[in-house]
Amino acid sequence: MNKPLIVITGASSGFGAAMAQNFNQQGYPMLLLARRVARIKALPLDFSNVRVAGVDVTDQAAFRAAIETAEKEFGQTDLLVNNAGVMLLGNVMNQDPKQWQQMLDVNVMGVLNGMQIVLPEMTKREHGTVVNISSLAGKKTFVNHAAYVASKFGVHGLSETIREEVSGKNVRVAMVAPGAAETELLTHVTDQGALKDYQAWKDSMGGITLDPKHVAEAVNFIYQMPQDVNIREIDIAATRQDS
Ligand code: NDP
């Protein structure tokens, strides 16, 4: 039987790129989304059954159009991984509110957008999985992360709410909450003080690095369970991470 369609947001770097490689090696047809299309196209993938679209997840119409195009070719989406996200560290007393808005728009609205696109069909078919990439900052607090923490607590809250809502239709909503990892996430931080504190925290734990490939393995583990088993949440961090 042909494998079903997997959609991954934020596939141009970090965890999303690692997930793309994991599922590509297993032969799944995929739609990979991010704004930097060239970066996705440069990934070491077999692109024969991979489609790529330049989509900002805050633009629901573009997000929907890309998924509909891929579904015409590969059938209904069976797994959506809402992975796209931004972390702009800063102290709430002086951080530009535009940065709060960007985190809430991408990390919360982007996830809601994706779920609204795929869930009606999944619940109709009584089959399908959504995995939202939250963070340990979705369940505990970190200094200089106020708006990010707000956005990721949001992801935890909305994921569990929607999981309850669609559980009766045999649709799985799950979360992976990673700890600190080496990706491009920090490259967008503009507050040099907050960045220095974050780096010092990492150094104090021996320069911890959670390899993105293990986050990809966690998502795959959730997905490979039978449809009637839902691993609701995996928290995954480097062993040396203390918080
Ligand atoms: P990266 O910065 O490497 O990847 C982020 C991805 O999100 C990129 O592919 C980026 O693509 C995409 N993205 C950002 N904004 C948008 C947007 N508006 N529309 C579409 N895509 C967007 O970081 P990570 O891989 O670390 O981040 C992935 C997820 O993991 C995020 O949700 C993050 O919060 C979470 N996380 C990360 C941790 C870490 O320490 N790295 C720890 C815990 C959670 P492009 O710029 O091309 O659009």
Side-chain angles (χ1 to χ4, degrees):
M1 211 175 82
N2 286 341
K3 288 189 152 83
L5 176 65
I6 291 177
V7 179
I8 302 171
T9 71
S12 59
S13 65
F15 297 157
M19 288 173 217
Q21 289 180 62
N22 185 309
F23 287 117
N24 188 245
Q25 281 158 12
Q26 300 181 65
Y28 285 93
M30 287 191 298
L31 170 64
L32 301 179
L33 304 173
R35 293 163 304 173
R36 294 170 301 167
V37 167
R39 285 289 303 273
I40 303 178
K41 290 187 173 159
L43 293 174
L45 303 175
D46 169 3
F47 280 91
S48 57
N49 60 352
V50 174
R51 300 298 169 258
V52 177
V55 163
D56 184 323
V57 291
T58 65
D59 178 350
Q60 204 200 41
F63 197 171
R64 184 184 297 278
I67 289 182
E68 283 176 359
T69 304
E71 287 182 339
K72 281 195 188 107
E73 195 177 355
F74 297 114
Q76 300 300 325
T77 305
D78 195 49
L79 170 65
L80 167 66
V81 188
N82 279 312
N83 164 73
V86 277
M87 180 177 79
L88 305 168
L89 301 177
N91 187 291
V92 84
M93 286 190 284
N94 51 38
Q95 189 171 23
D96 185 343
K98 285 200 189 88
Q99 297 199 342
W100 308 338
Q101 191 68 59
Q102 188 186 349
M103 286 187 274
L104 293 168
D105 284 347
V106 178
N107 301 359
V108 178
M109 295 297 289
V111 170
L112 286 167
N113 281 339
M115 296 183 90
Q116 189 170 60
I117 294 164
V118 300
L119 284 176
E121 186 59 35
M122 285 183 179
T123 51
K124 211 188 298 171
R125 275 185 292 133
E126 303 204 350
H127 203 283
T129 305
V130 176
V131 178
N132 293 333
I133 306 302
S134 185
S135 169
L136 292 183
K139 52 192 301 175
K140 63 196 300 293
T141 58
F142 293 85
V143 168
N144 288 331
H145 286 61
Y148 183 71
V149 161
S151 75
K152 292 298 189 179
F153 268 63
V155 174
H156 263 69
L158 72 89
S159 300
E160 178 59 11
T161 303
I162 301 169
R163 185 198 62 72
E164 284 180 36
E165 290 169 355
V166 301
S167 59
K169 295 291 183 189
N170 200 40
V171 172
R172 302 184 294 192
V173 175
M175 260 177 292
V176 174
E182 296 304 322
T183 64
E184 294 182 15
L185 200 65
L186 283 175
T187 62
H188 310 290
V189 176
T190 55
D191 182 329
Q192 293 310 311
L195 199 54
K196 223 173 113 214
D197 289 351
Y198 192 90
Q199 204 50 54
W201 170 65
K202 285 213 296 193
D203 291 346
S204 76
M205 295 180 287
I208 47 135
T209 51
L210 175 61
D211 189 323
K213 79 174 182 201
H214 299 307
V215 174
E217 284 162 1
V219 172
N220 183 56
F221 180 64
I222 290 172
Y223 184 54
Q224 298 305 339
M225 283 288 147
Q227 181 69 33
D228 58 354
V229 176
N230 186 11
I231 298 171
R232 297 182 186 181
E233 180 178 339
I234 292 179
D235 297 345
I236 178 171
T239 306
R240 286 182 188 277
Q241 180 164 339
D242 58 359
S243 48

